[in-house]
Amino acid sequence: MSTIKIAIDGKELEIEQGKSVLEASLSGGIYIPHLCHHADLHPIGACRLCVVEIDGMDGLQTSCTTLAEDGMVVRTKGGEIDDTRRLAMELMLSGHQADCGTCIKYLNCELQALKQYLVEDHLSVKRRSRLFGANDTNPIFFHEPNKCILCGRCVRACHELRGVGVLFYKYNHEEIYIGIGPDPDKDTSLAEAGCRFCGACAEVCPTGAIMDRDEFGKGKTRKAALLPCSNTCPAEIDIPRYLRFIREENYPAATAVIREKVPFPQVLGYVCNHPCESECRRGQVNEPISICRLKRFAAENDTEKLWLQNVKKKSATDKKVAVIGAGPAGLTAAYYLTIQGHSVTVFEALPEAGGMLRYGIPEYRLPRNIIADEVQAIVDMGVEVRTNTRIESIDDLLDEGYEAVLVAVGAHNGMKLRIPGANGEGVLVNTEFLRAVSLGEEVTVGKKVIVLGGGNVAFDCARVARRLGAEEVMMACLESRENMPASADEIEQGEEEGIRLFPSRTFKKIVREDGKVTGVEFLNVASFCFDEDKRLQLETVEDSEHVIEADTVIFAVGQRPIIPEGFGINKTDSGLIEVDSYTMTTNREEVFAAADAVTGTDSVIKAIANARKVAAAMDKFLGGRGKIDDKLAPASDPEKRIGMIKGFAELPRVEEKCLPAEARVKNFCRVVDSLSAGEAGGEAQRCLQCDLRLKMTPVKFWSSY
């Protein structure tokens, strides 16, 4: 690297050749006022705040556009310099709104900060009225032209940095302003102009003329606000990064990104409840990205197993770990602990590994070969799995030399409500029913089946009953139709398969004649809630008793873990395992617990995320650093020029393709089809790439120098 020496305000600096005087000054800790300059943009010297005197040059020079030369002598203050800056600031403020106190940008505005910096110069500002109105019609951004000082940073970011080019200088009644679209005589909407909604303009705007909408970032960190998808993902998967790899048709790299956080990418591609999609900023433009389906597509097309080549398994530690339960949580923790060099054995009471993935989620929703493949990848990493092995005593494991034990037994004990008629023939329980079907046992249901419950497990029971030959399947739940806890996909597919919904019902009793179920008596629910002790507070509709006929009832109102007394660990009043929220340990320091056994029934992605936390805590307990993150995907500097795509704002979300309902209810074949490469690439292209804003150089205020 070639260096030169220059003197600024009497201070000699040795700097890298090729820097501007402004860059040299700032890197040396000497502040020169500037506003149109941004480290990521081409300098234009328009604001005139960065002017300096340089020996041997006539007049003032804009330091952002002047290259530093060896031996250069620069002065940044005094006389004509101060007068020029004061005039430049007065001109900018003359057309700017006066009341800083009511501005959302207050105390985070570069213009305001520079005004404070120059306050000793006694600015004399003559305000002039401007004829522009605020524009709040565009999604994501709010445009307030009267705050614009024409620094041009937004235009340069849009054209130079992103390659989109929808912002332009325009004229209106002899007033220059920043407008949308190339037509000099009129503005258009961001969507019509071809905006990619990347946010670069809002990122570089120094005054708040272009801002994220008011609700942006409230109560959140900057990263959480800019990346709501990754922030909402319990496992914090780098979603924009793997979507870029899919767009580039680099599916192994995309899968490697996912596997940096979870060892079940394809499973999650089928059954994740994708909370990320509800927060996706693309949804403010038209519809959110199909993040979950793209995850499945990437994993299905990972032919090179790049992630496996990049896994860095640490040297053996000679520490033995026992994991009780081979569900997604137990296997996830086992995987990461094995990567840390520990010897891990997983004990599973059922015939095959997978836990609720295999014995709770029906095969039509999650094909069994998918589970087998991803479990095998964990076994191949060195995890030992012992099936048909029920553990009743943790002390026995400790006596065998295991130094730490993880209890990840899930919540396999389905519950019945204590209502008359609940016991006896014709009444089934969710977990037992689904497990028996998954084990291939003979399970019979009647012609008219009613499922009590409104969650995903309840829909699993209802849809399985339909496939077992029930002619009529109904579901009844406390919640209203709009507030049913099941995912929208489950509800839609269930209704397509002929399942009838009876929301806002409370269950009074199961009606029997001669011992056989003939129906369920209900009351209509006006409202309900749970108090601080989690007790149901229910208001019913007067005189609303009614009976829905059925010959089979399936309870799907919740599950609890089965914790043997021989474990010697404390439980809550709800029957869950008590753990320290920081160390994830039980009342026994060498015994940890994770996922549904601790939290109650929750999503697969949350179980995996919780298991990662526990694995890190266990690694620390065993003498490690607790750092389980690994880089499995290639390092990449994403292309900042994302370019314009015609009709980008209107690009439709790729829809889930399913088998016709009349065909799928006849068997347990997979319901959903895979995306094609074209569909996946097009869907990934819809991503706004919000994370690119985090890669832009942050602005430093004068007080930081």
Side-chain angles (χ1 to χ4, degrees):
M1 180 182 68
S2 179
T3 62
I4 59 174
K5 291 183 179 180
I6 67 171
I8 302 179
D9 292 341
K11 181 179 179 181
E12 189 173 280
L13 302 174
E14 184 173 355
I15 63 167
E16 183 180 347
Q17 191 172 22
K19 287 183 176 289
S20 69
V21 172
L22 177 61
E23 291 171 324
S25 179
L26 297 177
S27 65
I30 300 172
Y31 181 72
I32 297 177
H34 58 277
L35 201 57
C36 68
H37 172 79
H38 188 281
D40 296 335
L41 304 175
H42 181 74
I44 57 174
C47 69
R48 300 290 292 171
L49 290 175
C50 72
V51 293
V52 295
E53 290 179 345
I54 301 175
D55 284 0
M57 292 187 178
D58 294 334
L60 301 181
Q61 308 297 317
T62 51
S63 60
C64 68
T65 60
T66 304
L67 283 180
E69 297 179 2
D70 192 43
M72 186 176 275
V73 177
V74 180
R75 284 174 295 282
T76 71
K77 297 178 181 179
E80 187 181 358
I81 297 173
D82 295 341
D83 291 342
T84 300
R85 288 177 183 160
R86 183 171 60 251
L87 177 60
M89 179 60 71
E90 288 172 353
L91 288 173
M92 280 188 281
L93 290 173
S94 67
H96 186 78
Q97 293 177 342
D99 191 0
C100 290
T102 62
C103 178
I104 195 172
K105 199 83 170 175
Y106 183 64
L107 297 181
N108 193 33
C109 172
E110 293 177 60
L111 182 65
Q112 181 191 24
L114 280 168
K115 178 183 175 183
Q116 293 170 342
Y117 181 81
L118 298 172
V119 71
E120 61 186 64
D121 289 327
H122 307 293
L123 298 176
S124 176
V125 180
K126 294 181 179 179
R127 302 284 176 182
R128 57 188 175 87
S129 61
R130 303 180 76 189
L131 305 176
F132 305 112
N135 181 357
D136 64 353
T137 61
N138 285 305
I140 299 184
F141 306 118
F142 181 79
H143 187 199
E144 175 53 275
N146 291 324
K147 293 180 181 178
C148 180
I149 55 171
L150 298 176
C151 66
R153 277 162 46 164
C154 60
V155 176
R156 283 177 285 153
C158 188
H159 288 256
E160 300 172 9
L161 194 62
R162 294 292 188 253
V164 178
V166 302
L167 299 181
F168 294 86
Y169 289 102
K170 296 189 178 186
Y171 294 88
N172 180 18
H173 302 291
E174 299 183 355
E175 186 86 59
I176 302 175
Y177 72 101
I178 305 297
I180 302 168
D183 192 326
D185 298 321
K186 67 175 182 178
D187 283 337
T188 184
S189 70
L190 290 174
E192 291 171 331
C195 179
R196 292 294 300 272
F197 302 97
C198 65
C201 56
E203 188 67 25
V204 300
C205 179
T207 67
I210 302 177
M211 291 188 296
D212 299 282
R213 296 185 73 91
D214 290 351
E215 63 270 18
F216 174 82
K218 285 189 176 179
K220 298 179 181 178
T221 65
R222 172 174 164 74
K223 184 176 181 180
L226 284 176
L227 292 181
C229 56
S230 294
N231 181 67
T232 306
C233 174
E236 298 180 338
I237 298 171
D238 191 344
I239 293 168
R241 186 166 161 235
Y242 85 71
L243 294 188
R244 268 195 296 275
F245 278 126
I246 291 175
R247 191 187 65 208
E248 296 164 7
E249 300 183 9
N250 191 345
Y251 311 134
T255 306
V257 172
I258 300 165
R259 278 190 170 272
E260 288 176 353
K261 295 293 186 180
V262 299
F264 290 100
Q266 203 166 349
V267 163
L268 287 169
Y270 279 93
V271 301
C272 186
N273 64 334
H274 47 77
C276 52
E277 293 185 18
S278 64
E279 297 296 322
C280 174
R281 298 187 79 199
R282 172 75 203 206
Q284 299 173 44
V285 178
N286 60 353
E287 295 177 285
I289 307 296
S290 295
I291 297 169
C292 185
R293 294 163 197 162
L294 289 173
K295 186 189 290 106
R296 183 172 79 233
F297 173 84
E300 287 174 341
N301 291 275
D302 179 16
T303 56
E304 299 175 17
K305 307 299 180 189
L306 177 67
W307 69 273
L308 191 56
Q309 302 169 35
N310 293 333
V311 169
K312 299 178 180 66
K313 188 175 179 180
K314 296 182 179 178
S315 302
T317 64
D318 297 325
K319 304 282 187 177
K320 290 178 62 179
V321 179
V323 176
I324 305 173
L331 290 172
T332 294
Y335 170 81
Y336 286 110
L337 288 168
T338 299
I339 298 298
Q340 298 305 109
H342 308 305
S343 176
V344 185
T345 303
V346 181
F347 299 91
E348 172 57 53
L350 290 166
E352 294 185 75
M356 290 303 258
L357 297 178
R358 184 178 291 276
Y359 297 106
I361 300 175
E363 187 171 7
Y364 66 81
R365 203 152 70 87
L366 179 57
R368 296 303 181 246
N369 66 301
I370 301 300
I371 304 171
D373 288 347
E374 297 198 327
V375 170
Q376 188 60 49
I378 293 172
V379 171
D380 291 344
M381 199 57 63
V383 175
E384 180 185 1
V385 179
R386 298 182 190 176
T387 56
N388 291 310
T389 306
R390 185 177 297 277
I391 301 299
E392 298 289 348
S393 170
I394 287 177
D395 288 335
D396 290 346
L397 295 174
L398 298 175
D399 290 343
E400 291 178 28
Y402 293 101
E403 297 175 60
V405 177
L406 172 61
V407 181
V409 295
H412 288 256
N413 187 26
M415 297 185 294
K416 288 183 180 180
L417 294 177
R418 295 178 180 177
I419 59 176
N423 297 317
E425 182 185 352
V427 177
L428 305 174
V429 178
N430 52 3
T431 52
E432 298 171 5
F433 172 65
L434 294 172
R435 186 187 309 124
V437 173
S438 294
L439 286 167
E441 298 175 359
E442 185 176 347
V443 181
T444 59
V445 294
K447 293 183 178 180
K448 286 188 175 183
V449 177
I450 187 162
V451 178
L452 306 183
N456 284 338
V457 175
F459 270 95
D460 286 342
C461 292
R463 296 175 70 184
V464 166
R466 189 82 172 86
R467 284 161 173 77
L468 292 178
E471 296 176 3
E472 186 175 2
V473 179
M474 299 158 285
M475 291 179 59
C477 60
L478 282 172
E479 296 84 5
S480 66
R481 173 65 175 77
E482 296 76 19
N483 295 315
M484 291 178 70
S487 67
D489 289 348
E490 277 286 295
I491 297 172
E492 180 180 351
Q493 291 175 17
E495 289 189 309
E496 288 174 353
E497 293 172 8
I499 295 167
R500 296 170 59 200
L501 305 182
F502 293 88
S504 300
R505 305 292 206 281
T506 184
F507 327 129
K508 191 173 181 181
K509 69 177 181 180
I510 295 175
V511 181
R512 291 179 179 273
E513 291 182 9
D514 298 326
K516 294 184 178 181
V517 172
T518 60
V520 179
E521 184 174 335
F522 295 95
L523 285 169
N524 290 337
V525 173
S527 65
F528 77 95
C529 65
F530 292 91
D531 63 20
E532 58 186 16
D533 296 320
K534 298 183 179 180
R535 292 175 300 193
L536 177 64
Q537 304 297 313
L538 186 67
E539 182 180 347
T540 60
V541 178
E542 189 175 354
D543 299 326
S544 63
E545 293 91 345
H546 60 283
V547 174
I548 298 177
E549 292 183 0
D551 53 26
T552 304
V553 177
I554 303 176
F555 278 103
V557 292
Q559 298 140 238
R560 289 181 180 175
I562 302 173
I563 313 296
E565 291 300 322
F567 283 14
I569 53 181
N570 293 341
K571 294 180 284 187
T572 67
D573 292 340
S574 301
L576 303 174
I577 300 174
E578 279 188 350
V579 297
D580 182 284
S581 60
Y582 178 72
T583 64
M584 306 304 291
T585 55
T586 64
N587 54 298
R588 306 178 67 172
E589 66 172 356
E590 70 278 11
V591 180
F592 298 74
D596 289 3
V598 174
T599 63
T601 307
D602 215 325
S603 63
V604 175
I605 185 64
K606 282 190 177 180
I608 291 172
N610 188 248
R612 282 177 51 85
K613 181 179 178 181
V614 174
M618 293 181 74
D619 182 53
K620 280 187 178 181
F621 175 78
L622 295 168
R625 298 175 58 205
K627 304 291 185 183
I628 65 172
D629 284 337
D630 201 0
K631 289 294 182 183
L632 305 180
S636 64
D637 183 16
E639 182 65 51
K640 292 182 178 179
R641 289 181 63 84
I642 59 179
M644 183 186 291
I645 293 180
K646 187 175 181 180
F648 175 78
E650 288 76 32
L651 285 176
R653 172 185 167 102
V654 63
E655 293 299 329
E656 186 86 270
K657 293 182 294 185
C658 299
L659 291 174
E662 60 273 14
R664 64 188 190 229
V665 297
K666 297 176 181 178
N667 54 59
F668 282 80
C669 291
R670 186 179 73 165
V671 168
V672 296
D673 286 338
S674 299
L675 297 175
S676 68
E679 289 172 328
E683 185 64 15
Q685 189 69 61
R686 296 178 65 242
C687 177
L688 304 184
Q689 301 184 53
C690 304
D691 63 325
L692 292 185
R693 282 178 65 174
L694 293 173
K695 302 178 188 302
M696 295 177 68
T697 304
V699 172
K700 290 175 65 176
F701 284 54
W702 61 267
S703 55
S704 299
Y705 290 90

